[in-house]
């Protein structure tokens, strides 16, 4: 597609971007606008999209506002191929490949604890958890949907794991999801989980709701619901590396509700198991991904109003990349939803506020909820 001639509204006139940056008269107009509150507007969309005037030496130039590339028309020179609705766009080609039989084949590294720099060529354990959630359709909620129990969620996750392969291995072959805790059969469930860990070469994957991350003298104990007798231990060094990757302090601030995927291996002491890596996804009480109580309130409000909603998942994108908190799925085009509650990451919160404000000022389709 050939880019259309970019026309910029600035002051009382509309000019081509090329004329503004390449002629003396155009440079004068840009100079007068530089450093003021006035925003040029790219007219690729009805009503225009905000731009800003920058300066290099004595030359003034036009640039899109940070994070605004997706607001421009597809054939505009300022369009940027980005999305607010999935972090999976950060993967390089080949990281996730759909096979002829519909299975998803992952180039995954489940042991890697540090964050990858771009291009991201491998799916981490965080990406695997998000992919399972997405394939199980747990990041979507319909109005009137029955409350989710662990039994329902478990069945969906088991089915999803059967359509994902890691290397030449089907994910379901190394994944253990405990059944709902019943005291009379808890010993058998624990024995089955421990057998799975011992049998798996390179470690087994265990996925369950997180109960607690408990600090002890030398390490962290990872306590999973439905497996109260499973003794999982993560070293303090591993915990620090994982929190750096997440850009979230889950070890020091237990989320009230969360799903947890761990890589577990037999430890030196019989009956103990080492967590070499793990992913944590905060949810609400209904197993719907929500990062905070305020997000859960907004999700409940949207559903009560009759809106089907979806939670964009981060996969392995940069922690500072802004995604919508939810998307309302009414009609053909999803409506991004931003909840401006603090997350504890000031840089990210500031970037999210900027994107939300930018969309509102440019009359984009968006819903914004205060903290």
């Amino acid at each position: 597609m050939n880019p259309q001639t970019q026309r910029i509204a600035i002051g009382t006139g509309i000019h081509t971007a090329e004329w503004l940056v390449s002629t003396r008269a155009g440079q004068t107009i840009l100079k007068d606008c530089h450093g003021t509150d006035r925003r040029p507007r790219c007219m690729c969309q009805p009503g225009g999209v905000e731009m800003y005037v920058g300066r290099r030496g004595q030359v003034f130039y036009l640039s899109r506002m940070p994070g605004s590339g997706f607001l421009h028309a597809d054939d505009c020179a300022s369009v940027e191929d980005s999305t607010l609705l999935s972090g999976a766009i950060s993967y390089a080609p080949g990281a996730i490949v759909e096979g002829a039989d519909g299975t998803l084949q992952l180039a995954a590294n489940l042991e890697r604890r540090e964050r990858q720099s771009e291009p991201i060529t491998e799916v981490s354990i965080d990406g695997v958890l998000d992919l399972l959630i997405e394939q199980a359709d747990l990041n979507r909620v319909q109005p009137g949907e029955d409350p989710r129990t662990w039994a329902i969620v478990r069945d969906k996750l088991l089915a999803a794991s059967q359509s994902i392969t890691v290397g030449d291995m089907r994910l379901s072959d190394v994944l253990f999801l405990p059944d709902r805790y019943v005291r009379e059969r808890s010993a058998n469930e624990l024995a089955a989980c421990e057998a799975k860990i011992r049998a798996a070469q390179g470690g087994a994957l265990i996925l369950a709701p997180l109960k607690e991350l408990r600090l002890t003298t030398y390490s962290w104990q990872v306590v999973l619901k439905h497996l109260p007798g499973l003794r999982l231990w993560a070293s303090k060094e591993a915990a620090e590396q994982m929190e750096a990757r997440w850009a979230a302090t889950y070890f020091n601030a237990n989320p009230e509700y969360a799903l947890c995927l761990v890589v577990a291996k037999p430890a030196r002491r019989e009956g103990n198991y080492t967590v070499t890596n793990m992913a944590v996804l905060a949810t609400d009480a209904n197993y719907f991904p929500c990062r905070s109580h305020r997000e859960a309130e907004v999700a409940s409000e949207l559903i009560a109003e009759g809106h089907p909603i979806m939670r964009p998942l981060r996969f392995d994108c940069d922690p500072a990349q802004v995604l919508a908190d939810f998307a309302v799925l009414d009609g053909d085009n999803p409506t991004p939803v931003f909840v401006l509650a603090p997350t504890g990451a000031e840089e990210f919160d500031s970037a999210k506020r900027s994107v939300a404000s930018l969309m509102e000022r440019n009359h984009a389709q968006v819903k914004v909820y205060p903290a």
Side-chain angles (χ1 to χ4, degrees):
M1 180 183 296
N2 294 323
Q4 65 173 329
T5 299
Q6 192 172 19
R7 299 187 179 278
I8 307 296
I10 184 169
T12 58
I14 297 179
H15 314 277
T16 67
E18 182 180 3
W19 181 84
L20 287 167
V21 299
S22 63
T23 68
R24 182 176 296 178
Q27 285 288 292
T28 299
I29 292 174
L30 293 180
K31 180 180 179 181
D32 291 343
C33 187
H34 181 257
T36 71
D37 293 334
R38 290 182 293 149
R39 294 287 186 198
R41 303 186 76 85
C42 176
M43 302 308 295
C44 65
Q45 298 279 24
V49 179
E50 283 186 7
M51 306 280 283
Y52 78 87
V53 177
R55 177 179 178 177
R56 295 190 187 98
Q58 299 301 312
V59 177
F60 295 89
Y61 64 93
L62 285 163
S63 184
R64 61 173 175 251
M65 295 286 288
S68 69
F70 67 94
L71 294 173
H72 291 264
D74 291 342
D75 58 351
C76 177
S78 291
V79 71
E80 182 180 32
D81 185 17
S82 63
T83 179
L84 294 171
L85 303 182
S86 177
I89 196 172
S90 63
Y91 289 123
I96 302 178
V97 177
E98 185 172 0
D101 59 354
T103 60
L104 296 175
Q105 301 165 357
L106 310 186
N109 185 341
L110 301 182
E111 294 288 353
R112 183 172 188 154
R113 288 201 287 259
E114 71 276 10
R115 176 163 295 281
Q116 293 180 69
S117 56
E118 294 185 358
I120 299 175
T121 58
E122 295 178 326
V123 181
S124 76
I125 191 170
D126 300 327
V128 170
L129 177 55
D130 280 354
L131 186 61
L132 276 167
I133 297 298
E134 186 174 80
Q135 291 300 107
D137 227 21
L138 294 174
N139 66 323
R140 294 171 182 259
V141 178
Q142 295 285 338
E145 182 180 308
D146 290 335
R148 294 171 178 174
T149 64
W150 172 242
I152 291 171
V153 169
R154 178 180 182 272
D155 286 347
K156 288 177 177 288
L157 289 168
L158 279 172
S161 71
Q162 293 168 4
S163 64
I164 299 172
T165 61
V166 178
D168 58 356
M169 176 179 58
R170 195 175 292 273
L171 187 59
S172 56
D173 292 341
V174 293
L175 179 66
F176 185 86
L177 290 108
D179 208 343
R180 181 178 62 86
Y181 177 77
V182 176
R183 185 175 181 179
E184 290 73 21
R185 62 170 185 255
S186 61
N188 291 337
E189 193 74 9
L190 176 60
C193 180
E194 292 180 323
K196 188 88 167 185
I197 297 173
R198 290 192 296 268
Q201 294 184 352
L205 288 169
I206 305 169
L207 175 52
L210 178 65
K211 182 176 182 180
E212 184 183 4
L213 294 169
R214 184 184 301 154
L215 181 62
T216 66
T217 303
Y218 301 108
S219 59
W220 288 88
Q221 184 176 7
V222 180
V223 185
L224 300 178
K225 294 180 181 178
H226 310 294
L227 287 169
L230 185 64
R231 296 176 64 81
L232 294 170
W233 305 95
S235 70
K236 291 182 179 179
E237 179 185 8
E240 289 175 1
Q241 291 172 338
M242 288 184 281
E243 284 196 332
R245 186 184 76 230
W246 301 330
T249 56
Y250 287 136
F251 279 94
N252 293 289
N254 280 303
E256 183 175 4
Y257 303 103
L259 289 171
C260 183
L261 178 65
V262 306
V263 179
K265 299 178 180 180
R268 294 179 181 177
R269 183 178 296 180
E270 182 71 23
N272 289 270
Y273 302 92
T274 300
V275 173
T276 59
N277 208 356
M278 62 186 279
V280 177
L281 181 66
T283 72
D284 64 8
N286 202 41
Y287 299 97
F288 180 67
C290 291
R291 195 168 178 171
S292 66
H293 288 294
R294 178 58 178 145
E295 287 185 7
E297 289 175 353
V298 171
S300 296
E301 181 179 330
L302 290 167
I303 295 164
E305 292 172 354
H307 300 296
I309 62 172
M310 181 267 286
R311 171 70 178 210
L313 298 172
R314 302 198 65 82
F315 292 89
D316 284 302
C317 72
D318 189 288
Q321 179 177 329
V322 175
L323 297 181
D325 294 307
F326 306 111
V328 172
L329 302 180
D330 297 329
D332 296 330
N333 297 312
T335 299
V337 177
F338 292 96
V339 182
L340 303 184
T343 65
E346 293 183 8
E347 184 179 351
F348 171 78
D349 291 344
S350 176
K352 184 163 71 169
R353 288 194 299 269
S354 295
V355 170
S357 176
L358 180 69
M359 293 185 72
E360 286 186 312
R361 293 198 308 271
N362 286 275
H363 311 291
Q365 187 172 293
V366 66
K367 288 178 176 285
V368 180
Y369 290 81

Short mmCIF file of all heavy atoms in Angstrom, two decimals, residues 180-209:
data_model
loop_
_atom_site.label_atom_id
_atom_site.label_comp_id
_atom_site.label_asym_id
_atom_site.label_seq_id
_atom_site.Cartn_x
_atom_site.Cartn_y
_atom_site.Cartn_z
N ARG A 180 -9.81 -30.85 42.09
CA ARG A 180 -10.32 -30.11 43.25
C ARG A 180 -10.01 -30.88 44.52
O ARG A 180 -10.16 -32.10 44.59
CB ARG A 180 -11.83 -29.91 43.09
CG ARG A 180 -12.50 -29.14 44.23
CD ARG A 180 -13.97 -28.96 43.94
NE ARG A 180 -14.66 -30.24 43.87
CZ ARG A 180 -15.17 -30.89 44.91
NH1 ARG A 180 -15.03 -30.40 46.14
NH2 ARG A 180 -15.81 -32.04 44.74
N TYR A 181 -9.54 -30.14 45.55
CA TYR A 181 -9.12 -30.79 46.80
C TYR A 181 -10.31 -31.47 47.48
O TYR A 181 -11.35 -30.84 47.75
CB TYR A 181 -8.50 -29.78 47.75
CG TYR A 181 -8.12 -30.37 49.09
CD1 TYR A 181 -6.97 -31.14 49.21
CD2 TYR A 181 -8.92 -30.18 50.21
CE1 TYR A 181 -6.60 -31.70 50.43
CE2 TYR A 181 -8.58 -30.73 51.43
CZ TYR A 181 -7.42 -31.49 51.54
OH TYR A 181 -7.07 -32.05 52.73
N VAL A 182 -10.14 -32.75 47.73
CA VAL A 182 -11.06 -33.52 48.57
C VAL A 182 -10.19 -34.30 49.53
O VAL A 182 -9.29 -35.04 49.11
CB VAL A 182 -11.94 -34.48 47.73
CG1 VAL A 182 -12.80 -35.34 48.65
CG2 VAL A 182 -12.81 -33.69 46.76
N ARG A 183 -10.43 -34.15 50.80
CA ARG A 183 -9.53 -34.71 51.81
C ARG A 183 -9.29 -36.22 51.61
O ARG A 183 -8.16 -36.70 51.73
CB ARG A 183 -10.10 -34.44 53.19
CG ARG A 183 -9.18 -34.89 54.32
CD ARG A 183 -9.76 -34.49 55.66
NE ARG A 183 -8.87 -34.89 56.74
CZ ARG A 183 -9.12 -34.66 58.03
NH1 ARG A 183 -10.23 -33.99 58.38
NH2 ARG A 183 -8.28 -35.06 58.97
N GLU A 184 -10.35 -36.95 51.27
CA GLU A 184 -10.24 -38.40 51.20
C GLU A 184 -9.33 -38.85 50.06
O GLU A 184 -8.76 -39.95 50.13
CB GLU A 184 -11.64 -39.03 51.02
CG GLU A 184 -12.54 -38.94 52.23
CD GLU A 184 -13.08 -37.53 52.47
OE1 GLU A 184 -13.08 -36.73 51.51
OE2 GLU A 184 -13.49 -37.24 53.61
N ARG A 185 -9.18 -38.03 49.02
CA ARG A 185 -8.32 -38.45 47.91
C ARG A 185 -7.09 -37.56 47.76
O ARG A 185 -6.38 -37.64 46.77
CB ARG A 185 -9.10 -38.49 46.61
CG ARG A 185 -9.70 -37.19 46.12
CD ARG A 185 -10.24 -37.33 44.69
NE ARG A 185 -10.70 -36.07 44.16
CZ ARG A 185 -11.99 -35.74 44.02
NH1 ARG A 185 -12.95 -36.59 44.38
NH2 ARG A 185 -12.32 -34.56 43.51
N SER A 186 -6.80 -36.73 48.75
CA SER A 186 -5.68 -35.80 48.66
C SER A 186 -4.34 -36.51 48.61
O SER A 186 -3.42 -36.07 47.91
CB SER A 186 -5.71 -34.80 49.82
OG SER A 186 -5.60 -35.48 51.07
N ALA A 187 -4.21 -37.62 49.33
CA ALA A 187 -2.94 -38.36 49.32
C ALA A 187 -2.66 -38.93 47.94
O ALA A 187 -1.51 -38.89 47.46
CB ALA A 187 -2.98 -39.48 50.36
N ASN A 188 -3.68 -39.45 47.27
CA ASN A 188 -3.51 -39.98 45.92
C ASN A 188 -3.15 -38.88 44.92
O ASN A 188 -2.33 -39.07 44.02
CB ASN A 188 -4.77 -40.71 45.46
CG ASN A 188 -5.00 -42.00 46.22
OD1 ASN A 188 -4.06 -42.58 46.77
ND2 ASN A 188 -6.24 -42.46 46.26
N GLU A 189 -3.77 -37.71 45.10
CA GLU A 189 -3.49 -36.59 44.20
C GLU A 189 -2.05 -36.12 44.36
O GLU A 189 -1.35 -35.84 43.38
CB GLU A 189 -4.46 -35.44 44.49
CG GLU A 189 -4.50 -34.35 43.43
CD GLU A 189 -5.23 -34.78 42.17
OE1 GLU A 189 -5.85 -35.86 42.15
OE2 GLU A 189 -5.16 -34.03 41.18
N LEU A 190 -1.58 -36.04 45.60
CA LEU A 190 -0.20 -35.64 45.86
C LEU A 190 0.77 -36.66 45.28
O LEU A 190 1.77 -36.29 44.65
CB LEU A 190 0.03 -35.49 47.36
CG LEU A 190 1.46 -35.18 47.80
CD1 LEU A 190 1.93 -33.86 47.20
CD2 LEU A 190 1.56 -35.16 49.32
N ALA A 191 0.46 -37.95 45.45
CA ALA A 191 1.33 -38.99 44.91
C ALA A 191 1.41 -38.91 43.39
O ALA A 191 2.49 -39.09 42.80
CB ALA A 191 0.84 -40.37 45.36
N ALA A 192 0.30 -38.63 42.74
CA ALA A 192 0.29 -38.52 41.27
C ALA A 192 1.13 -37.34 40.82
O ALA A 192 1.86 -37.42 39.82
CB ALA A 192 -1.15 -38.39 40.78
N CYS A 193 1.04 -36.21 41.55
CA CYS A 193 1.83 -35.03 41.20
C CYS A 193 3.32 -35.30 41.37
O CYS A 193 4.13 -34.98 40.50
CB CYS A 193 1.40 -33.85 42.06
SG CYS A 193 2.30 -32.32 41.71
N GLU A 194 3.70 -35.91 42.48
CA GLU A 194 5.11 -36.20 42.73
C GLU A 194 5.66 -37.19 41.70
O GLU A 194 6.80 -37.07 41.26
CB GLU A 194 5.29 -36.73 44.15
CG GLU A 194 5.01 -35.67 45.21
CD GLU A 194 5.19 -36.19 46.62
OE1 GLU A 194 4.84 -37.37 46.87
OE2 GLU A 194 5.69 -35.43 47.47
N ALA A 195 4.84 -38.15 41.30
CA ALA A 195 5.27 -39.10 40.27
C ALA A 195 5.50 -38.39 38.94
O ALA A 195 6.44 -38.72 38.20
CB ALA A 195 4.22 -40.21 40.12
N LYS A 196 4.65 -37.42 38.64
CA LYS A 196 4.81 -36.64 37.41
C LYS A 196 6.13 -35.88 37.43
O LYS A 196 6.85 -35.82 36.43
CB LYS A 196 3.63 -35.67 37.28
CG LYS A 196 3.56 -34.91 35.96
CD LYS A 196 2.78 -35.72 34.95
CE LYS A 196 2.41 -34.92 33.74
NZ LYS A 196 1.55 -35.67 32.81
N ILE A 197 6.46 -35.29 38.56
CA ILE A 197 7.71 -34.52 38.68
C ILE A 197 8.91 -35.44 38.50
O ILE A 197 9.86 -35.12 37.78
CB ILE A 197 7.77 -33.80 40.05
CG1 ILE A 197 6.64 -32.79 40.18
CG2 ILE A 197 9.13 -33.09 40.20
CD1 ILE A 197 6.54 -32.17 41.56
N ARG A 198 8.88 -36.59 39.16
CA ARG A 198 10.02 -37.51 39.08
C ARG A 198 10.20 -38.09 37.69
O ARG A 198 11.32 -38.35 37.24
CB ARG A 198 9.85 -38.63 40.11
CG ARG A 198 10.01 -38.17 41.56
CD ARG A 198 10.12 -39.37 42.49
NE ARG A 198 8.89 -40.16 42.49
CZ ARG A 198 7.88 -39.98 43.34
NH1 ARG A 198 7.97 -39.03 44.26
NH2 ARG A 198 6.81 -40.74 43.28
N ALA A 199 9.08 -38.28 36.98
CA ALA A 199 9.15 -38.93 35.66
C ALA A 199 9.56 -37.97 34.55
O ALA A 199 10.09 -38.40 33.52
CB ALA A 199 7.80 -39.56 35.33
N ALA A 200 9.32 -36.68 34.73
CA ALA A 200 9.56 -35.71 33.65
C ALA A 200 11.04 -35.38 33.56
O ALA A 200 11.66 -34.97 34.55
CB ALA A 200 8.75 -34.44 33.90
N GLN A 201 11.59 -35.54 32.38
CA GLN A 201 12.98 -35.14 32.15
C GLN A 201 13.04 -33.62 32.03
O GLN A 201 12.32 -33.04 31.23
CB GLN A 201 13.53 -35.80 30.89
CG GLN A 201 13.64 -37.32 31.00
CD GLN A 201 14.29 -37.92 29.76
OE1 GLN A 201 14.51 -37.24 28.78
NE2 GLN A 201 14.58 -39.21 29.85
N GLY A 202 13.89 -32.99 32.82
CA GLY A 202 14.00 -31.54 32.76
C GLY A 202 12.98 -30.82 33.61
O GLY A 202 12.92 -29.60 33.62
N GLY A 203 12.16 -31.57 34.35
CA GLY A 203 11.19 -30.94 35.23
C GLY A 203 9.78 -31.00 34.69
O GLY A 203 9.56 -30.98 33.49
N ALA A 204 8.82 -31.09 35.60
CA ALA A 204 7.41 -31.08 35.23
C ALA A 204 6.84 -29.69 35.43
O ALA A 204 7.37 -28.87 36.17
CB ALA A 204 6.65 -32.09 36.10
N LEU A 205 5.74 -29.43 34.75
CA LEU A 205 5.01 -28.18 34.91
C LEU A 205 3.78 -28.44 35.77
O LEU A 205 3.02 -29.39 35.50
CB LEU A 205 4.57 -27.63 33.55
CG LEU A 205 5.68 -27.05 32.66
CD1 LEU A 205 5.15 -26.80 31.26
CD2 LEU A 205 6.22 -25.77 33.25
N ILE A 206 3.58 -27.62 36.79
CA ILE A 206 2.42 -27.74 37.65
C ILE A 206 1.66 -26.42 37.59
O ILE A 206 2.25 -25.35 37.77
CB ILE A 206 2.82 -28.04 39.10
CG1 ILE A 206 3.70 -29.28 39.16
CG2 ILE A 206 1.58 -28.24 39.98
CD1 ILE A 206 4.35 -29.50 40.51
N LEU A 207 0.38 -26.50 37.33
CA LEU A 207 -0.46 -25.30 37.22
C LEU A 207 -1.63 -25.42 38.18
O LEU A 207 -2.40 -26.38 38.13
CB LEU A 207 -0.97 -25.15 35.78
CG LEU A 207 -1.96 -24.01 35.49
CD1 LEU A 207 -1.45 -22.67 35.98
CD2 LEU A 207 -2.27 -23.95 34.00
N ALA A 208 -1.75 -24.44 39.08
CA ALA A 208 -2.80 -24.44 40.08
C ALA A 208 -2.99 -23.03 40.61
O ALA A 208 -2.12 -22.16 40.42
CB ALA A 208 -2.44 -25.39 41.23
N PRO A 209 -4.09 -22.77 41.29
CA PRO A 209 -4.23 -21.47 41.95
C PRO A 209 -3.16 -21.31 43.03
O PRO A 209 -2.83 -22.26 43.74
CB PRO A 209 -5.63 -21.53 42.56
CG PRO A 209 -6.34 -22.59 41.80
CD PRO A 209 -5.30 -23.60 41.43
#
